[in-house]
């Protein structure tokens, strides 16, 4: 039976939320874009660059519905939302070229490297579950290989045949859990996400979810997360039965 950790309601600076009963976990699964790597602004830049010649504006209202989707689904949603005179396939081709030009210089998000190294040093199994494809992941992690080599495995939704449905479906997190050698139950896994679609996917998988949202994400879209933080620097591993930072 999962152990429950009871805490009093804690609100951090800027509205971070740490409250309720937390189950002890043994494994951690991380989203990548916007959570470990600071790529979301670059994605916005790429999309606006494609939309601008057609007189379209890629607004936050559109972006927040697309965050976390796999590449093809995101392309179809963007083309439809902006009414672009190109096919989703053409969008993928154009955006992939631009992403490859920009993403090689993306930086780690605050607290990400510290947390990953801490978990690894304490023998906590960790994995990545990203909607990005393998080619995109290679570009974005090139300058952070030392950190990303610490993960036991990476599930890349846009190029992984076992991930039948993208976020907000739970497939990617269930696949990620199944690839740990000891095949943990969903309730033993803790998901880290930034996007509402990813939070929904983690919760649907039966996992607890730590959310580190973009400040623009509305309160309504944060409420399903187990914990909401301003950055990974605020995360307290001991709340979930993980080794505390020294």
């Amino acid at each position: 039976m999962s152990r429950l950790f009871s805490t009093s309601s804690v609100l951090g600076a800027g509205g971070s939320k740490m409250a309720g009963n937390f189950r002890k976990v043994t494994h951690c699964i991380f989203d990548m874009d916007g959570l470990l790597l600071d790529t979301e602004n670059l994605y916005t830049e790429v999309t606006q660059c494609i939309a601008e010649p057609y007189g379209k504006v890629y607004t936050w209202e559109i972006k927040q519905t697309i965050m976390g989707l796999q590449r093809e689904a995101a392309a179809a949603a963007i083309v439809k939302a902006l009414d672009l005179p190109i096919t989703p396939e053409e969008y993928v081709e154009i955006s992939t070229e631009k992403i490859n030009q920009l993403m090689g210089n993306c930086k780690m998000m605050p607290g990400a490297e510290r947390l990953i190294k801490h978990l690894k040093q304490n023998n906590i199994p960790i994995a990545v579950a990203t909607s990005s494809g393998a080619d995109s992941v290679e570009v974005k992690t090139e300058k952070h290989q030392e950190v990303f080599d610490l993960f036991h495995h990476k599930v890349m939704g846009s190029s992984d045949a076992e991930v039948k449905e993208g976020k907000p479906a739970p497939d990617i997190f269930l696949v990620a859990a199944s690839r740990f050698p000891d095949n943990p139950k969903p309730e033993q896994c803790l998901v880290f996400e930034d996007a509402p679609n990813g939070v929904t996917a983690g919760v649907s998988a039966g996992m607890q979810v730590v959310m580190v949202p973009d400040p623009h994400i509305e309160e309504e879209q944060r409420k399903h997360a187990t914990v909401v933080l301003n950055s990974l620097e605020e995360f307290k591993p001991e709340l979930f039965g993980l080794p505390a930072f020294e």
Side-chain angles (χ1 to χ4, degrees):
M1 183 179 292
S2 298
R3 181 178 170 192
L4 289 176
F5 288 79
S6 233
T7 69
S8 58
S9 224
V10 179
L11 285 176
S16 60
K17 178 184 75 176
M18 290 180 282
N21 294 319
F22 304 125
R23 293 192 306 265
K24 180 179 180 179
V25 298
T26 53
H27 298 64
C28 294
I29 304 174
F30 292 82
D31 175 48
M32 187 180 72
D33 290 297
L35 187 279
L36 297 178
L37 292 176
D38 189 4
T39 56
E40 287 301 338
N41 288 335
L42 296 176
Y43 272 116
T44 300
E45 185 179 334
V46 165
T47 305
Q48 184 54 41
C49 184
I50 296 171
E52 200 161 327
Y54 304 108
K56 307 292 183 176
V57 178
Y58 184 48
T59 64
W60 170 253
E61 287 69 29
I62 296 172
K63 179 183 174 78
Q64 67 180 337
T65 66
I66 290 164
M67 291 171 68
L69 298 183
Q70 292 186 14
R71 178 169 54 194
E72 285 72 18
I78 290 169
V79 168
K80 181 179 180 180
L82 294 177
D83 193 24
L84 299 178
I86 58 176
T87 65
E89 292 76 19
E90 288 171 329
Y91 181 90
V92 168
E93 184 178 347
I94 298 167
S95 64
T96 298
E97 181 180 350
K98 293 182 181 298
I99 286 167
N100 289 343
Q101 292 170 356
L102 284 176
M103 294 294 181
N105 293 317
C106 64
K107 294 178 171 56
M108 297 289 295
M109 293 291 280
E113 183 172 350
R114 171 181 177 246
L115 176 56
I116 292 164
K117 289 182 174 180
H118 170 74
L119 294 173
K120 183 68 175 180
Q121 287 164 2
N122 285 278
N123 299 311
I124 304 299
I126 53 177
V128 168
T130 173
S131 297
S132 294
D135 53 345
S136 175
V137 171
E138 184 177 352
V139 171
K140 287 180 278 195
T141 62
E142 185 178 5
K143 293 187 177 178
H144 308 288
Q145 208 58 54
E146 177 192 355
V147 176
F148 281 88
D149 282 345
L150 299 177
F151 289 97
H152 179 267
H153 58 276
K154 304 177 188 70
V155 180
M156 295 162 277
S158 290
S159 56
D160 194 307
E162 281 192 54
V163 182
K164 304 299 183 185
E165 297 288 336
K167 302 172 186 177
D171 301 33
I172 193 166
F173 292 121
L174 295 173
V175 169
S178 73
R179 292 183 184 171
F180 287 116
D182 54 347
N183 195 21
K185 296 177 182 178
E187 58 263 29
Q188 294 176 282
C189 299
L190 182 63
V191 166
F192 292 81
E193 264 285 355
D194 69 305
N197 284 324
V199 172
T200 300
V203 172
S204 298
M207 302 174 184
Q208 296 175 102
V209 183
V210 175
M211 186 184 196
V212 187
D214 183 288
H216 294 94
I217 290 179
E218 297 172 1
E219 188 63 33
E220 177 69 20
Q221 293 183 297
R222 306 175 181 218
K223 67 180 184 181
H224 299 300
T226 310
V227 173
V228 180
L229 306 176
N230 297 305
S231 87
L232 288 174
E233 293 176 313
E234 295 181 349
F235 179 63
K236 298 184 184 303
E238 63 272 21
L239 291 180
F240 294 90
L242 298 169
F245 288 112
E246 294 181 1

